[in-house]
């Protein structure tokens, strides 16, 4: 009769401990607000806001459809986005509760489940191999605590990362179990899980290659169980293609949607494949650094957080050597004793490949959330390397503790947009997008205060300085011109506001987005030149333009009536006051203005004494 293993080696204790670790690491996010891309997938997504009634549209359109309102605007980056599973989850959650708490709670719970499933899959993967018992536990714990995962868990939108990896790891576990037990239905179950993973996020399809490699390394065969996996991958591609089309589309020519652009004769053109690769290699080296030294984390790597690199750059050449070395090492050791180190390396490289910008631009230079799936391979490789000398396994414990502290600390930055943007811009002051986002958050915050107060004035002026920096990086940044116009308007600098709104229109923003603010700036400019400079001609020009931009706006018509009356054009004043009264028939001021104009036009008797 075999002795019962010590309590710390019992599967139930390990599973419960890992679940608790995953949950507690992110428990401090439960009171957080919506942030970052939550607007795209939840708060401003009209389809998700319908609840279950929106499901048909979620599964038949690009995932950005409910935010932009038209299919074409959904394909802002190569290939579009088709991730209906997590949006369907958000729709149900919104129907149950409109606030962020339920979403955050489920993110944390699903992440805790993922950590346990990772551990279970690794136990199955390593079954029968001469490795210390603690390898699956240590790998899962390192994965759970890694600070790079904060964006996937603390940000609600990151659910797509969690569910994609959960389905992919579950599929791997199912296939390994089915092969060992010779149970055919296990392969079908794995295929269903992989299909669901792909419906959460496209990069899960890389496990169609990872799983047979895992079978080769762990079992030396059993590929008959992989067939359903490939069928699932093919089915997903067919569904995706039928919804979004089969091509990647033309490269985006807006720098904030495609950083691999250069200016030629005043026009932006995409970099060629070989022109893009030095910068890609540089970012791959940064990824390795973040895996082992996850400090200074930020959510944004848009231009010019990273500058374009050339083939003569030393770090580019170092990255090329390192990554070729990793590939060579993995190929050489797939059947040797450190074969699970090799498997971890391949899992890392394969899952990173589709978000690396190597094949096609993914919309940004890099992103820490792109390491969520590859980090599992990296942690497996590191722990299995330590396991070659079992006495070194204790190193994992202090690393998990340090990682856990960094994770809990980083979570606080994700409290809301204002905190996230204003904190991260200090770490990443060369990103035009982050400078723009931080400025927008500061302007929003200022408008909740007394605009004449010292704090509000500081926020507005700091926001404008950051927008100046954003436009120095990206002079064609339409949204930055819009926000800088807003800052000028809040500072009563009307001419500057009008100029920036006009530039926003010149650089791609629609009249629907800009014209309302531009009309307000024109109204205020008209009042200033009329009241302070007595220039009624310019005042009326401003107001007539405002009326053309946004017809039938009460304040514009009221000011046109006053300007016309003061200028002696009583008939025009009467017409403008009449239109204003039609818009607000219960407005006493509008009634008085109209009656006065009628008298001036001798259409009403003077008031009796």
């Amino acid at each position: 009769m075999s002795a019962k293993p010590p309590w710390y080696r019992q599967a139930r204790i390990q599973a419960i401990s890992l679940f608790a670790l995953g949950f507690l690491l992110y428990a401090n996010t439960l009171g957080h607000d919506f942030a970052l891309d939550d607007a795209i997938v939840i708060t401003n997504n009209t389809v998700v806001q319908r609840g279950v009634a929106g499901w048909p549209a979620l599964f038949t359109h690009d995932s950005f459809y409910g935010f932009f309102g038209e299919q074409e605007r959904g394909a802002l980056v190569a290939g579009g986005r088709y991730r209906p599973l997590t949006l369907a989850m958000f729709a149900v959650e919104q129907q149950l509760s409109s606030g962020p708490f339920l979403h955050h709670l489920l993110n944390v719970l699903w992440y805790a489940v993922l950590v346990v499933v990772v551990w279970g899959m690794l136990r199955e993967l390593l079954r029968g191999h001469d490795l210390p018992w603690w390898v699956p536990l240590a790998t899962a714990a390192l994965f759970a605590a890694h600070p790079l995962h904060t964006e996937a868990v603390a940000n609600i939108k990151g659910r797509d990362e969690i569910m994609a990896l959960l389905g992919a790891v579950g599929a791997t576990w199912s296939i390994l179990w089915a092969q060992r037990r010779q149970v055919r239905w296990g392969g079908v179950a794995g295929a269903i899980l992989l299909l669901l993973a792909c419906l959460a996020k496209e990069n899960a399809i890389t496990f169609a290659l990872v799983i047979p490699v895992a079978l080769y390394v762990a079992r030396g065969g059993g590929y008959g169980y992989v067939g359903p996996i490939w069928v699932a991958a093919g089915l997903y591609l067919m569904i995706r293609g039928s919804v979004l089309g089969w091509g990647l589309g033309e490269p985006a020519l807006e720098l904030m949607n495609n950083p691999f652009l250069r200016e030629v004769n005043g026009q932006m053109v995409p970099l060629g494949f070989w022109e893009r690769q030095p910068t890609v290699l540089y970012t791959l080296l940064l990824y390795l650094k973040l895996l082992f030294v996850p400090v200074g984390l930020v959510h944004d790597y848009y231009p010019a957080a990273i500058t374009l690199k050339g083939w003569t750059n030393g770090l580019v050449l170092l990255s090329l050597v390192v990554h070729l070395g990793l590939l060579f090492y993995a190929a050489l050791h797939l059947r040797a004793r450190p074969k699970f180190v090799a498997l971890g390396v391949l899992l890392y490289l394969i899952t990173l490949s589709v978000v690396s910008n190597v094949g096609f631009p993914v919309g940004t230079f890099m992103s820490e959330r792109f390491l969520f799936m590859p980090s599992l391979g990296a942690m497996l490789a590191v722990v299995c390397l330590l396991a070659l000398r079992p006495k070194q396994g204790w190193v994992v414990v202090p690393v998990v503790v340090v990682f856990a502290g960094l994770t809990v600390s980083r979570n606080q930055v994700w409290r809301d947009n204002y905190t996230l943007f204003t904190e991260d811009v200090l770490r990443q002051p060369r990103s035009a997008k982050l400078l723009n986002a931080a400025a927008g958050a500061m302007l929003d915050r200022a408008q909740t205060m007394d605009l004449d107060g010292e704090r509000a004035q500081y926020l507005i002026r700091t926001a404008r300085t950051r927008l100046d920096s954003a436009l120095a990086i990206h002079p064609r940044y339409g949204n930055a011109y819009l926000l800088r116009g807003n800052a000028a308007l809040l500072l009563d600098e009307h001419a500057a506001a009008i100029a920036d709104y006009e530039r926003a229109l010149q650089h791609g923003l629609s009249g629907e987005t800009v014209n309302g603010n531009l009309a307000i700036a024109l109204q205020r400019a008209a009042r200033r030149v009329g009241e302070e400079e007595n220039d009624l001609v310019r005042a009326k020009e401003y107001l007539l333009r405002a009326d053309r931009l946004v017809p039938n706006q009460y304040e514009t018509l009221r000011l046109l009536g006053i300007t016309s009356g003061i200028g002696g054009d009583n008939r025009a004043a009467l017409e403008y006051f009449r239109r204003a009264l039609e818009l607000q028939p219960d407005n006493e001021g509008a009634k008085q203005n109209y009656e006065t104009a009628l008298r001036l036009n001798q259409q009403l008797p003077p008031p009796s004494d």
Side-chain angles (χ1 to χ4, degrees):
M1 184 175 179
S2 60
K4 187 176 180 180
W7 65 270
Y8 54 85
R9 293 187 59 175
Q10 294 178 27
R12 180 180 298 179
I13 297 296
Q14 291 185 15
I16 293 172
S17 299
L18 287 169
F19 182 91
L21 175 64
F23 186 90
L24 292 174
L25 282 168
Y26 290 93
N28 64 335
T29 68
L30 298 181
H32 287 186
D33 201 349
F34 295 107
L36 199 60
D37 290 339
D38 292 345
I40 294 177
V41 297
I42 302 175
T43 56
N44 292 345
N45 190 304
T46 57
V47 179
V48 169
Q49 290 296 317
R50 296 179 208 160
V52 176
W55 277 17
L58 291 176
F59 283 89
T60 55
H61 290 84
D62 187 288
S63 293
F64 292 167
Y65 173 75
F67 179 76
F68 290 112
E70 51 185 281
Q71 183 71 15
E72 292 76 12
R73 290 293 303 276
L76 287 176
V77 287
R81 297 290 179 263
Y82 185 66
R83 303 166 186 174
L85 180 63
T86 43
L87 268 65
M89 297 172 75
F90 295 146
V92 174
E93 293 158 27
Q94 277 296 105
Q95 193 161 324
L96 295 174
S97 174
S98 60
F101 173 77
L102 180 60
H103 298 299
H104 280 299
L105 175 62
L106 289 172
N107 260 31
V108 177
L109 288 172
W110 280 118
Y111 183 70
V113 170
L114 169 61
V115 173
V116 176
V117 172
V118 163
W119 165 80
M121 182 276 289
L122 292 173
R123 279 167 52 89
E124 184 65 42
L125 177 74
L126 302 175
R127 188 183 294 272
H129 292 277
D130 185 22
L131 284 169
W133 64 271
W134 47 263
V135 169
L137 179 65
T139 304
L142 273 176
F143 175 84
H146 207 296
L148 281 172
H149 299 168
T150 51
E151 183 170 354
V153 189
N155 184 213
I156 298 167
K157 185 267 177 192
R159 180 86 59 83
D160 54 4
E161 304 283 357
I162 298 171
M163 301 311 296
L165 187 54
L166 179 59
V169 172
T172 308
W173 189 358
S174 182
I175 296 296
L176 290 167
W177 178 87
Q179 188 275 335
R180 179 170 61 86
R181 294 291 189 90
Q182 301 293 295
V183 179
R184 289 292 172 184
W185 65 261
V188 176
I192 294 171
L193 288 170
L194 185 63
L195 177 60
L196 291 173
C198 292
L199 291 173
K201 191 173 183 184
E202 302 91 340
N203 59 344
I205 202 169
T206 55
F207 271 73
L209 179 58
V210 168
I211 290 172
V213 173
L215 276 171
Y216 173 77
V217 171
R219 308 285 164 79
Y223 306 118
Y225 293 87
V226 176
I229 290 289
W230 289 342
V231 171
L235 178 60
Y236 168 73
L237 291 175
M238 289 179 62
I239 296 171
R240 188 182 192 279
S242 67
V243 173
L244 302 185
W246 299 98
L248 293 177
E250 294 298 320
L253 297 180
E254 160 54 43
L255 196 63
M256 293 299 103
N257 296 321
N258 178 8
F260 296 101
L261 300 173
R262 57 188 169 90
E263 186 172 337
V264 178
N265 297 325
Q267 300 293 323
M268 301 302 288
V269 297
L271 299 181
F273 176 83
W274 292 110
E275 291 177 296
R276 193 170 69 238
Q277 298 314 308
T279 309
V280 172
L281 284 165
Y282 177 78
T283 60
L284 291 178
L285 194 64
L286 291 184
Y287 278 140
L288 287 176
K289 175 261 181 186
L290 288 171
L291 281 168
F292 296 100
V293 189
V295 296
L297 301 184
V298 296
H299 73 280
D300 181 289
Y301 287 89
Y302 281 83
I306 293 171
T307 56
L308 295 173
K309 307 298 181 184
W311 284 106
T312 58
N313 184 283
L315 293 176
V316 169
L317 297 176
L318 175 62
S319 179
L320 180 62
V321 170
V322 168
H323 285 88
L324 287 176
L326 288 173
L327 278 171
F328 181 75
Y329 176 90
L332 193 65
H333 292 90
L334 275 178
R335 296 301 296 169
R337 183 167 183 264
K339 59 184 179 180
F340 289 103
V341 178
L343 175 61
V345 170
L346 285 179
L347 196 164
Y348 171 75
L349 293 175
I350 291 169
T351 54
L352 184 60
S353 62
V354 294
V355 292
S356 65
N357 285 308
V358 171
F360 52 87
V362 296
T364 182
F365 284 121
M366 59 183 288
S367 177
E368 290 164 8
R369 70 179 181 276
F370 292 166
L371 282 178
F372 186 76
M373 189 175 285
S375 67
L376 175 57
M379 296 305 99
L380 175 62
V382 167
V383 173
C384 288
L385 201 60
L386 288 173
L388 296 177
R389 296 181 178 179
K391 291 183 179 180
Q392 295 181 351
W394 65 269
V395 173
V396 173
V397 176
V399 173
V400 168
V401 172
V402 171
F403 277 10
L406 292 173
T407 294
V408 173
S409 176
R410 176 63 181 166
N411 286 342
Q412 292 301 316
V413 177
W414 285 91
R415 185 180 305 115
D416 52 38
N417 275 339
Y418 180 83
T419 306
L420 178 66
F421 298 152
T422 56
E423 290 282 340
D424 276 10
V425 77
L426 300 176
R427 302 183 180 92
Q428 195 78 288
R430 286 286 301 161
S431 164
K433 187 171 185 178
L434 185 49
L435 287 162
N436 184 73
M442 297 179 83
L443 292 176
D444 289 343
R445 179 65 61 90
Q447 291 177 82
T448 66
M449 306 174 180
D450 173 12
L451 290 178
D452 293 326
E454 184 176 336
R455 177 62 178 169
Q457 288 289 303
Y458 167 79
L459 290 173
I460 297 168
R461 295 186 185 282
T462 303
R464 187 161 64 174
T465 299
R466 285 179 173 158
L467 291 165
D468 290 342
S469 299
L471 289 165
I473 295 166
H474 181 22
R476 294 180 174 85
Y477 200 173
N479 198 62
Y481 283 117
L482 173 65
L483 290 180
R484 196 170 72 173
N486 292 348
L489 191 58
L490 291 171
L491 293 169
D492 290 328
E493 298 176 8
H494 308 123
I498 292 168
D500 274 335
Y501 291 143
E502 290 171 342
R503 293 186 187 103
L505 290 168
Q506 293 167 9
H507 292 292
L509 265 64
S510 67
E512 182 181 358
T513 302
V514 178
N515 285 349
N517 289 12
L518 178 52
I520 294 172
L522 290 165
Q523 290 170 7
R524 296 183 183 177
R527 289 188 63 173
R528 186 185 64 78
V529 298
E531 294 173 359
E532 297 179 13
E533 301 177 23
N534 199 30
D535 190 341
L536 298 180
V537 174
R538 282 178 62 201
K540 194 163 186 178
E541 288 175 354
Y542 284 140
L543 292 169
L544 288 172
R545 185 181 175 194
D547 191 41
R548 289 192 298 270
L549 290 170
V550 186
N552 298 320
Q553 193 173 68
Y554 174 81
E555 183 63 12
T556 301
L557 295 172
R558 186 185 75 85
L559 291 173
L560 275 167
I562 293 172
T563 304
S564 299
I566 295 173
D569 191 347
N570 293 330
R571 288 189 178 182
L574 177 63
E575 176 61 16
Y576 289 127
F577 285 140
R578 181 191 64 76
R579 290 170 58 190
L581 183 61
E582 286 180 353
L583 292 173
Q584 296 188 14
D586 297 326
N587 188 316
E588 290 300 323
K591 292 177 183 177
Q592 292 174 11
N593 288 337
Y594 184 58
E595 289 176 2
T596 301
L598 284 170
R599 292 190 186 95
L600 290 172
N601 283 274
Q602 299 181 351
Q603 296 182 28
L604 272 181
S608 58
D609 294 334

